[in-house]
Amino acid sequence: MGLFKNIGRKVEEFKQTSEAVAAEEASYECTDCGKRLYTSHDACPECGGTVVPVAEESETTDESESEPTDDE
């Protein structure tokens, strides 16, 4: 029985990791529950909330890092 418990645990770890990686690549997000989606929906399939495009975080960080400062 220990073998099946070990396999089940490994499958669950893989499932959680793959869902986390998939969510990072999603283009849309529910404003109510935070569910990340690959395609635009009229309403979130999980909670019925509003789905909006995900803001690109890397663009805002790149812009703020490239601005010169006059602290000298």
Side-chain angles (χ1 to χ4, degrees):
M1 195 65 142
L3 174 65
F4 293 110
K5 285 184 181 181
N6 189 26
I7 291 172
R9 189 177 8 245
K10 295 288 184 183
V11 168
E12 185 61 31
E13 288 174 7
F14 175 77
K15 178 183 168 189
Q16 291 176 359
T17 302
S18 62
E19 287 175 351
V21 170
E24 290 175 4
E25 299 295 321
S27 302
Y28 299 90
E29 182 176 30
C30 175
T31 57
D32 294 339
C33 71
K35 174 82 173 165
R36 307 274 312 244
L37 307 162
Y38 284 100
T39 59
S40 177
H41 293 272
D42 292 333
C44 175
E46 294 291 320
C47 70
T50 305
V51 176
V52 296
V54 174
E56 293 294 327
E57 296 173 7
S58 61
E59 290 178 10
T60 56
T61 14
D62 291 344
E63 291 173 7
S64 63
E65 291 175 357
S66 62
E67 293 178 12
T69 57
D70 295 332
D71 292 340
E72 293 178 27

